[in-house]
Amino acid sequence: MDFPRSRPLVPELESLAQATSTNDILASSVAGRPHFSTVVTLDQTAGHGRLGRSWVTPPGEALAVSVLLRPFDRLPTDSLGWITLCAGLAMTRAVQSLLPERHVALKWPNDVHIDGRKVCGVLAQLLPGSTIVVGAGLNLTIDEEKLPVPTATSLRIGGATGEAIELADQALAVYLRELQRLWDRLINARGDADISGIRREVTEACSTIGRSVRVNLPDGSDLHGKATALDRFGHLELNADPDGASQTVTAGDVTHLRYE
């Protein structure tokens, strides 16, 4: 797996025939690796999702990619939530480049959807030494009968043609370019998502905004309401009270409801 489009875009691209978790491999070997070092595989056997969930895909039919970002010491701690959203926006643009006729959107906080079905998840891990590893898993050529859940999809189901490795390289090249641009803008603006324009761009790409949603919070409770905006930290503003008062959601699993 040579990744001819993607390899020139990063200082180091390690392509593995098989990996347990690209995030784990990169996180355990950060010493000496330059900023934007990248680890990829099409056969990940122990991928991670949010809240300790597993990411399971058939071998050879999904891309797992992890990117090393450092240093982030020019970013205020309260702006770090934008990194996951930037990665999600970068992957949204990558998928859209392959499926220009489809509706591709970012679902807060870390999923990419094609026509309302999940094709990619993003997971960022904060490490010592002002270092972040951002991982993404993208379904490439998985058929309907192999999907882990009926709400998932793949590039192939969405209409993309070509072999898995070709689709992986095309998507990865766009993802890496967009992630680098967004990272540079966030760093240059010292984490200010308004000055950088990132809050506006993420909001425009985010299908959660304006939707009636249910949010399962980390304590197990649920919130219902209309998602109205992203605040300056990337948190979700939710109109969940009869009197119109807004609540801020910093973390949680969001379900888009069918009614408005």
Side-chain angles (χ1 to χ4, degrees), residues 76-100:
T77 302
D78 56 17
S79 71
L80 295 181
W82 286 109
I83 295 174
T84 297
L85 292 168
C86 283
L89 178 59
M91 188 61 82
T92 298
R93 291 171 173 172
V95 173
Q96 190 74 77
S97 72
L98 290 166
L99 299 171

Side-chain angles (χ1 to χ4, degrees), residues 82 96 107 117 125 127 143 156 169 212 232 258:
W82 286 109
Q96 190 74 77
K107 175 175 174 284
R117 297 171 67 184
Q125 293 179 252
L127 304 177
D143 294 326
R156 175 65 50 77
D169 192 27
S212 296
R232 65 190 185 93
R258 293 184 180 275

Side-chain angles (χ1 to χ4, degrees), residues 1 31 183 188:
M1 296 185 292
W183 170 263
N188 291 336

Side-chain angles (χ1 to χ4, degrees), residues 3-251:
F3 291 91
R5 292 180 178 84
S6 306
R7 191 174 295 278
L9 302 177
V10 295
E12 178 181 289
L13 190 149
E14 183 177 357
S15 174
L16 303 174
Q18 187 181 76
T20 51
S21 159
T22 55
N23 263 28
D24 288 351
I25 289 170
L26 191 53
S28 66
S29 59
V30 296
R33 288 189 188 264
H35 166 69
F36 234 71
S37 294
T38 302
V39 175
V40 298
T41 187
L42 268 63
D43 187 2
Q44 181 171 250
T45 60
H48 304 306
R50 290 181 67 243
L51 306 175
R53 300 187 184 102
S54 61
W55 177 272
V56 180
T57 54
E61 298 193 74
L63 170 70
V65 52
S66 296
V67 180
L68 182 66
L69 302 175
R70 65 179 182 189
F72 63 80
D73 50 12
R74 290 170 57 191
L75 295 178
T77 302
D78 56 17
S79 71
L80 295 181
W82 286 109
I83 295 174
T84 297
L85 292 168
C86 283
L89 178 59
M91 188 61 82
T92 298
R93 291 171 173 172
V95 173
Q96 190 74 77
S97 72
L98 290 166
L99 299 171
E101 302 302 318
R102 294 288 189 173
H103 176 62
V104 182
L106 174 63
K107 175 175 174 284
W108 190 90
N110 69 322
D111 292 341
V112 178
H113 282 192
I114 301 171
D115 296 335
R117 297 171 67 184
K118 180 176 176 178
V119 71
C120 175
V122 176
L123 179 68
Q125 293 179 252
L126 179 63
L127 304 177
S130 295
T131 301
I132 289 178
V133 169
V134 178
L138 175 66
N139 293 337
L140 300 170
T141 57
I142 305 174
D143 294 326
E144 289 277 1
E145 63 271 14
K146 295 181 183 177
L147 291 171
V149 292
T151 53
T153 190
S154 69
L155 296 181
R156 175 65 50 77
I157 294 169
T161 59
E163 299 297 322
I165 183 59
E166 177 67 14
L167 292 174
D169 192 27
Q170 291 179 46
L172 181 59
V174 178
Y175 172 70
L176 292 173
R177 281 196 298 267
E178 292 296 326
L179 182 59
Q180 181 72 75
R181 289 170 183 165
L182 292 165
W183 170 263
D184 288 345
R185 285 166 53 191
L186 192 63
I187 286 288
N188 291 336
R190 296 189 177 275
D192 191 312
D194 289 313
I195 291 175
S196 65
I198 286 173
R199 176 154 64 155
R200 174 182 57 80
E201 292 179 22
V202 170
T203 299
E204 289 174 351
C206 184
S207 59
T208 304
I209 306 303
R211 295 287 299 267
S212 296
V213 300
R214 180 179 70 250
V215 185
N216 181 244
L217 300 173
D219 65 3
S221 64
D222 284 348
L223 279 177
H224 290 76
K226 186 173 184 177
T228 57
L230 300 177
D231 73 8
R232 65 190 185 93
F233 307 119
H235 303 149
L236 188 66
E237 294 288 341
L238 191 69
N239 187 341
D241 294 330
D243 61 3
S246 181
Q247 296 190 46
T248 300
V249 178
T250 60

